[in-house]
Amino acid sequence: MNAPEKREFQAEVSQVLDIVIHSLYTDKDIFVRELVSNASDALEKLRHLQLTGNEVHGPDLSLEIRLTVDEEARTLTLADHGLGMTREELHENLGTIAHSGSKAFLRNLEESARKESALIGQFGVGFYSAFMVADEVTVYSRSWRPEGESLVWTSDGKTGYEIAEADEELERGCRIVLKLREDCADFAKADRVRSIVESYSNFVAFPVMVGEERVNKVEAVWRKKKSEVTDEEYKEFYQFSAKAYDEPRYRMHFNADSPIELNALLFVPAENTELWGMGQMEPGVSLYCKNVLIDDKPAGLLPDWLRFLRGVIDSADIPLNISRESMQDSSLVRKLNRVVTKRFLKFLDGEAKDDPDKYKEFHAKFSRFLKEGVVTDFEHREGLAKLLRFESSLTDPGTLTGFEDYLVRAKDGQDKIYYLSGPDRVSIEAGPYLEALKARGLEVVYFFDTIDEYLLQHLREFEGKTLVSASSSEVELPEDAALETSGEPLAEEAMTALCDFLQTELGEQVEKVAPGKRLVSSPAAVLAPAHGMSAQMRQMLQAMNPGEPLPPQKVELELNPRHGLVHALAAAREADPDLAKLAAAQLLDQALLAAGLLEDRVGLVDRGFRLMEAALKKTAG
Ligand code: ADP
């Protein structure tokens, strides 16, 4: 027999152990759930191997989970005839943390004061929870592989672990013995353990035995009728299947016979952990065929932007032996994908209408996924766009609306949806672009999120109406007799001369200078050229390439022929050309500033002082 092999834990594992033992878990009971859930996973995988024709060691062993206690010895033992582990797997699974999300999670945890037990379990640190209650853990393991060894893994959860060959030939699977700490002796009582299993592990798909007694029901909730499942059962099932501790935000349960036979039970979790900087969520909807797990994280089952969903899709039509690789190529899986995604979008649409306040909370946390979908998933773009919510020039601050409602309010014959993007409502409303549309009673959608720029590049229309930026030169506004304007417009000839003068003065910076109809109270505004980059896009580009010059921008400058400043500038052009030149440069810079497009601020301040001086001298003189 070889000598036992001693190893130290990977640094991250020690960190997890430290957290697990000292701070994170306040509710010790949950270690039972973590270990039962691991056993259940191992059994699911074993069953799948068997059903797809693999030779496994000990083919007749029963697929159940057994918990036994020994009060006198102060031990709790959990045993399963699941996959078991080879030597390498023991090192890999019980000595390191591979999952990058867990590492990111740990980093986050250290930095923030957020030590919520609700998070653990989701991050693959489940097994180590055993050390909350035990000062020694022994794992007897024999892999399903024919060449597997009988091994014993032991650790005190402090520095490292040891792997040795077992004294006897082991049966397939894992047997985990917890030598309980003195203050945790309670977990060596059958009643205590039974009640924990009842409350946490009711939905395990294999019998869970505490002593000789079977504790759980073993049933596939997703294949039952809605009327047969209570809210509490749904919640328990969610928490079990998603390895979560929160309340699901939404749940959708449906069965269909055509175009494909399927049962689906899907949940939206309470939180979007991606917003906490925890990295991308992993897809969490498992694929089953008639209650048998095919894959617990199938990559191509649902679109990537639905990775926040948890739950189960079960279809009798899916072949059991479908491989991870062929999943995305399978036309059946694609069909499932399409059917379920459509249903889910319809479901959200219904929720948004039935309970807008609840939907608003969902939107605040999960809208990034919907937007990602608009950008990446052409097939569902329209359905997703319908689900987006935003403020607009007609909503109160903080109140949201959607494109469908926008179109209900739109004017007869209006074939565009107008929008403006900016950091917040105040900056958008202070800009020069809104006034003309507002004056004409046209609603303008506001976009505040940085990723909205990407969104808008892909979302060009909604129900046949083109989306246009109100700051774009594409926007042509009708002359409106009823429009409240004050002052006489500058004579056409003088206006043309002024435009020519500005064009010459401003040279490279402007593509075009022209009188416009959109301005009500501002003297001038720059318009983003139809196919140019928006201010937000330029800022993003700059942030991504610090220090690199941006491509030069050319804007259109629109003048308000009724504005006093425009009249005065036209007069100064002849009376005081130097002052007029100074004012021309300042006019453009201020218009760029208002549009968020001013990148070179040096001239602005100096010119401002010189213009003030000139104005004040006139008054004084
Ligand atoms: P997670 O279950 O989230 O991956 P754990 O720390 O709970 O993280 O377990 C680590 C790994 O150890 C599991 O992914 C699995 O491969 C293995 N493992 C744990 N318990 C068992 C078991 N009873 N049978 C087989 N493998 C197991």
Side-chain angles (χ1 to χ4, degrees):
M1 195 183 279
N2 295 326
E5 199 183 339
K6 273 191 205 276
R7 292 244 185 130
E8 280 184 18
F9 285 120
Q10 179 200 31
E12 279 92 354
V13 174
S14 303
Q15 209 179 336
V16 167
L17 283 167
D18 192 55
I19 293 169
V20 158
I21 295 167
H22 295 114
S23 53
L24 198 55
Y25 284 105
T26 43
D27 182 6
K28 289 194 183 341
D29 291 7
I30 61 168
F31 84 91
V32 175
R33 200 193 95 164
E34 297 294 333
L35 299 182
V36 168
S37 148
N38 280 348
S40 165
D41 289 350
L43 288 167
E44 294 266 22
K45 286 178 184 148
L46 193 276
R47 180 163 66 179
H48 187 247
L49 281 175
Q50 270 185 313
L51 287 171
T52 50
N54 291 277
E55 189 92 24
V56 304
H57 179 78
D60 301 323
L61 293 167
S62 63
L63 300 189
E64 57 183 30
I65 300 165
R66 275 165 289 109
L67 282 76
T68 37
V69 293
D70 184 335
E71 269 196 79
E72 224 158 280
R74 220 191 311 132
T75 60
L76 167 63
T77 303
L78 293 101
D80 66 73
H81 292 309
L83 281 185
M85 284 179 268
T86 62
R87 191 179 284 268
E88 287 70 40
E89 285 165 343
L90 281 170
H91 282 304
E92 209 169 288
N93 296 333
L94 308 185
T96 62
I97 293 177
H99 187 243
S100 59
S102 316
K103 291 187 184 169
F105 167 64
L106 286 170
R107 224 172 302 124
N108 252 28
L109 206 62
E110 273 203 336
E111 285 161 15
S112 72
R114 184 188 275 134
K115 308 235 160 168
E116 289 168 31
S117 64
L119 294 177
I120 221 142
Q122 295 182 31
F123 301 98
V125 292
F127 169 79
Y128 303 107
S129 66
F131 290 102
M132 282 192 305
V133 295
D135 41 29
E136 187 180 86
V137 176
T138 311
V139 181
Y140 297 88
S141 188
R142 164 67 165 92
S143 164
W144 65 276
R145 293 170 197 280
E147 73 279 8
E149 301 168 271
S150 294
L151 299 166
V152 193
W153 179 102
T154 18
S155 173
D156 60 2
K158 294 195 178 83
T159 49
Y161 60 92
E162 189 178 290
I163 297 177
E165 281 171 39
D167 298 338
E168 46 172 353
E169 176 76 7
L170 299 176
E171 288 184 324
R172 183 194 68 227
C174 276
R175 190 168 86 239
I176 303 177
V177 183
L178 312 186
K179 175 86 184 82
L180 297 164
R181 283 188 348 214
E182 223 173 294
D183 59 331
C184 298
D186 233 25
F187 297 107
K189 294 198 175 101
D191 284 348
R192 182 70 203 280
V193 174
R194 193 179 306 114
S195 85
I196 301 176
V197 173
E198 273 166 5
S199 55
Y200 287 122
S201 305
N202 221 349
F203 289 100
V204 177
F206 301 92
V208 181
M209 314 288 291
V210 176
E212 294 306 308
E213 197 187 334
R214 173 149 156 200
V215 180
N216 64 330
K217 290 189 277 220
V218 185
E219 56 186 9
V221 204
W222 60 90
R223 287 175 80 90
K224 292 172 80 170
K225 290 209 191 74
K226 276 192 211 179
S227 57
E228 293 167 357
V229 190
T230 65
D231 285 351
E232 188 56 28
E233 284 171 325
Y234 275 125
K235 185 184 116 184
E236 275 180 31
F237 176 71
Y238 161 73
Q239 297 190 331
F240 167 71
S241 65
K243 302 191 177 183
Y245 291 88
D246 56 349
E247 295 257 350
R249 189 177 281 280
Y250 284 128
R251 73 158 186 262
M252 178 179 84
H253 187 181
F254 81 98
N255 309 313
D257 293 319
S258 73
I260 188 166
E261 195 271 1
L262 76 96
N263 297 280
L265 176 53
L266 303 176
F267 299 94
V268 175
E271 298 295 336
N272 169 5
T273 53
E274 290 191 14
L275 292 180
W276 300 349
M278 222 111 68
Q280 287 229 330
M281 285 173 138
E282 283 198 44
V285 177
S286 316
L287 181 62
Y288 282 73
C289 168
K290 289 186 277 191
N291 298 359
V292 176
L293 181 68
I294 296 181
D295 194 337
D296 62 347
K297 286 176 189 148
L301 180 59
L302 290 174
D304 203 28
W305 55 268
L306 275 177
R307 60 187 176 274
F308 61 96
L309 282 183
R310 298 289 172 262
V312 167
I313 296 175
D314 188 322
S315 173
D317 297 335
I318 297 288
L320 262 181
N321 57 1
I322 188 166
S323 70
R324 261 171 192 255
E325 295 71 37
S326 59
M327 193 84 71
Q328 263 148 316
D329 300 327
S330 151
S331 66
L332 271 170
V333 173
R334 279 205 301 273
K335 204 180 271 178
L336 268 184
N337 182 328
R338 194 168 324 120
V339 171
V340 176
T341 305
K342 280 227 160 72
R343 279 295 284 257
F344 182 67
L345 291 178
K346 203 167 127 202
F347 163 82
L348 278 183
D349 191 46
E351 290 292 325
K353 283 171 183 144
D354 293 347
D355 189 345
D357 289 338
K358 185 174 172 194
Y359 183 75
K360 191 178 171 188
E361 280 178 34
F362 161 79
H363 191 273
K365 297 202 158 142
F366 291 86
S367 64
R368 287 261 172 135
F369 293 105
L370 305 180
K371 290 174 181 179
E372 184 182 321
V374 170
V375 171
T376 57
D377 191 343
F378 178 76
E379 184 175 355
H380 301 292
R381 188 166 291 165
E382 185 95 5
L384 281 159
K386 204 159 125 178
L387 295 171
L388 296 178
R389 295 292 179 270
F390 32 74
E391 292 188 30
S392 86
S393 55
L394 294 187
T395 66
D396 292 327
T399 307
L400 303 182
T401 185
F403 287 122
E404 279 185 320
D405 288 342
Y406 179 104
L407 291 181
V408 170
R409 288 187 293 263
K411 301 208 141 186
D412 284 345
Q414 181 182 335
D415 60 350
K416 300 222 164 31
I417 295 174
Y418 300 100
Y419 69 83
L420 279 169
S421 46
D424 50 46
R425 191 175 178 106
V426 175
S427 349
I428 290 178
E429 295 194 335
Y433 305 112
L434 194 60
E435 46 185 59
L437 287 105
K438 233 178 162 175
R440 289 169 174 82
L442 295 167
E443 182 171 5
V444 179
V445 171
Y446 297 165
F447 286 113
F448 305 142
D449 196 346
T450 38
I451 81 156
D452 289 340
E453 284 303 313
Y454 291 116
L455 177 81
L456 291 163
Q457 289 192 343
H458 292 84
L459 187 66
R460 301 294 184 145
E461 55 165 51
F462 180 78
E463 290 184 3
K465 316 278 183 200
T466 325
L467 269 79
V468 284
S469 167
S471 70
S472 151
S473 61
E474 272 177 302
V475 177
E476 280 177 30
L477 293 173
E479 190 88 63
D480 190 337
L483 215 57
E484 267 190 50
T485 44
S486 57
E488 279 300 306
L490 193 64
E492 218 176 296
E493 219 171 293
M495 194 68 211
T496 313
L498 178 61
C499 289
D500 289 347
F501 164 75
L502 287 172
Q503 179 80 65
T504 318
E505 270 313 303
L506 302 172
E508 288 289 277
Q509 292 176 274
V510 292
E511 202 163 81
K512 184 174 146 197
V513 182
K517 302 181 201 110
R518 76 179 62 217
L519 297 168
V520 180
S521 57
S522 312
V526 299
L527 306 180
H531 303 290
M533 239 188 277
S534 70
Q536 284 70 30
M537 205 63 199
R538 288 181 73 86
Q539 279 160 16
M540 239 163 11
L541 199 66
Q542 182 73 87
M544 286 186 289
N545 307 290
E548 295 213 8
L550 288 169
Q553 57 176 348
K554 267 202 167 188
V555 294
E556 294 183 18
L557 184 66
E558 188 169 292
L559 300 177
N560 179 355
R562 294 172 197 273
H563 200 279
L565 178 58
V566 172
H567 282 257
L569 186 57
R573 188 173 61 82
E574 283 164 332
D576 188 348
D578 285 343
L579 188 63
K581 283 179 188 176
L582 199 62
Q586 189 73 356
L587 185 71
L588 177 64
D589 270 10
Q590 285 192 202
L592 285 168
L593 183 68
L597 284 168
L598 185 70
E599 279 150 17
D600 180 3
R601 289 156 190 268
V602 181
L604 185 80
V605 176
D606 179 52
R607 247 187 266 114
F609 290 144
R610 284 160 62 198
L611 285 165
M612 279 163 78
E613 191 184 339
L616 293 169
K617 265 190 188 150
K618 259 191 195 150
T619 336

